[in-house]
Amino acid sequence: MIKPSDIASRIKNALPDISIPTLGREVKLPVYVIHNSLDSEDYFFIFDFEQFVEQTRAGVFVRPALTVWSGRSDFRRSLFARQFRESFAREFDIARAQLAHSDKKPRGWFGFLSGTFLELRGANLSAFLANLVLLVATSAGTKVLSHILPKSWLSGKSDTSKLEESIEATQSKVDVALENIQIRLHEELYNHAYRDGGRGKRAQLEYDAWPLPGYVRQHLNDGASGAWW
C-alpha cells in the first residue's frame, strides 16, 4: 500500500512552476460518505465547507485538512476518487459563485488567480482551484505543495490551453491521493449504510467519534451530493 508520505512526494515532484500562497492555520474540512443502499458503490457526499468558506471570506489562505467519514469502505477506490473530485469541484464552484455575488469580494482560495484569468470561464478556473485545494488537503499534513503548474505553462500556448492542461495534470494527482486517503468509519453512518439488512465488519469502526452533526442527519436520505453550510 502506498504511504501518505510517498503520495505527497509524488504529487509535489510532478508539478513545478507557480508558487502557491503562504498558508495560514489548519482548518478541518469534513466530508461524509452516505450510502443510499446495500450496494457498496451507491453513495453520495456531504461536504462541510463552513469553516473553510468563512476563512476565505476573511481573505485567509488556510491549510484545508480533509477528513472522510463513511459507514463502509469496501468500494472501488478509483471510482470513489473520481466521483469525490468531481463532486468537490461542483460544490467549490457553487461556493465560489455565491461568494462572487456577496457584498465582499472573494479572497483567499476562492479569489486566488481570478485577476490573472479574467477572460476564462469561471467553471474552468473553479475546477483548477478545487484541484489545488484537494492537493493541499490530501498532502498528509507534511510539506505543502510549493508549485502547481506543469512546465507547459511557459510554452507560449494560450491561457485557456494552459489552464486546461493544468486541470488535467492536477486531476490525476488528486485521484492518486484520494485513492489512498484514510476512510474513517463512523458507527452512525455504518448503521445507515446497512439499514436494509446485512452487516459488514465492525472491527474498524471508530466508536469514540463525535456524533454526526445535525445537518448530516437531516440530509442522510437526500441521495445527492451537496455542501450544507
Side-chain angles (χ1 to χ4, degrees):
M1 184 174 180
I2 301 175
K3 297 179 180 179
S5 58
D6 295 335
I7 298 169
S9 178
R10 286 171 61 182
I11 295 171
K12 183 181 178 186
N13 292 337
L15 301 170
D17 280 331
I18 290 183
S19 297
I20 64 175
T22 300
L23 302 184
R25 69 183 183 85
E26 182 177 278
V27 170
K28 293 181 179 179
L29 187 53
V31 182
Y32 302 89
V33 182
I34 314 298
H35 277 82
N36 290 314
S37 68
L38 282 175
D39 184 349
S40 64
E41 307 298 340
D42 181 19
Y43 53 80
F44 64 99
F45 305 98
I46 294 180
F47 300 96
D48 185 355
F49 275 179
E50 185 173 7
Q51 288 190 63
F52 182 63
V53 171
E54 285 306 312
Q55 290 296 316
T56 289
R57 196 187 298 272
V60 179
F61 283 98
V62 296
R63 183 195 303 266
L66 194 65
T67 305
V68 181
W69 291 100
S70 180
R72 56 192 299 181
S73 59
D74 56 337
F75 40 76
R76 285 179 292 165
R77 286 304 190 95
S78 57
L79 180 60
F80 164 82
R82 178 175 58 81
Q83 292 183 159
F84 187 106
R85 171 173 50 76
E86 292 174 353
S87 296
F88 185 91
R90 284 195 299 270
E91 296 305 319
F92 187 94
D93 191 39
I94 291 171
R96 185 168 175 268
Q98 290 183 355
L99 285 173
H101 291 90
S102 67
D103 295 335
K104 207 168 186 179
K105 182 180 179 181
R107 300 176 65 189
W109 286 109
F110 290 91
F112 181 44
L113 293 182
S114 295
T116 309
F117 303 111
L118 289 176
E119 76 282 7
L120 300 180
R121 291 189 300 112
N124 272 349
L125 185 56
S126 284
F128 173 68
L129 294 175
N131 286 334
L132 176 56
V133 169
L134 284 176
L135 284 176
V136 174
T138 54
S139 62
T142 55
K143 291 183 178 180
V144 177
L145 299 171
S146 59
H147 299 90
I148 55 176
L149 298 178
K151 291 183 181 299
S152 61
W153 187 261
L154 303 177
S155 66
K157 296 183 179 180
S158 70
D159 284 345
T160 301
S161 296
K162 293 171 186 176
L163 188 60
E164 288 175 352
E165 288 182 5
S166 300
I167 291 172
E168 201 170 307
T170 54
Q171 281 179 352
S172 63
K173 308 309 170 187
V174 168
D175 286 351
V176 168
L178 288 174
E179 283 179 31
N180 292 277
I181 198 169
Q182 179 187 11
I183 305 294
R184 306 179 70 173
L185 299 183
H186 196 290
E187 187 174 19
E188 290 181 72
L189 295 179
Y190 171 92
N191 290 331
H192 182 79
Y194 292 103
R195 64 195 179 280
D196 294 328
R199 290 284 156 171
K201 296 180 180 179
R202 299 179 62 92
Q204 296 180 333
L205 288 178
E206 297 190 19
Y207 291 101
D208 58 347
W210 286 84
L212 290 179
Y215 69 87
V216 174
R217 290 200 188 103
Q218 181 182 352
H219 295 289
L220 282 179
N221 297 305
D222 284 0
S225 300
W228 311 104
W229 46 271

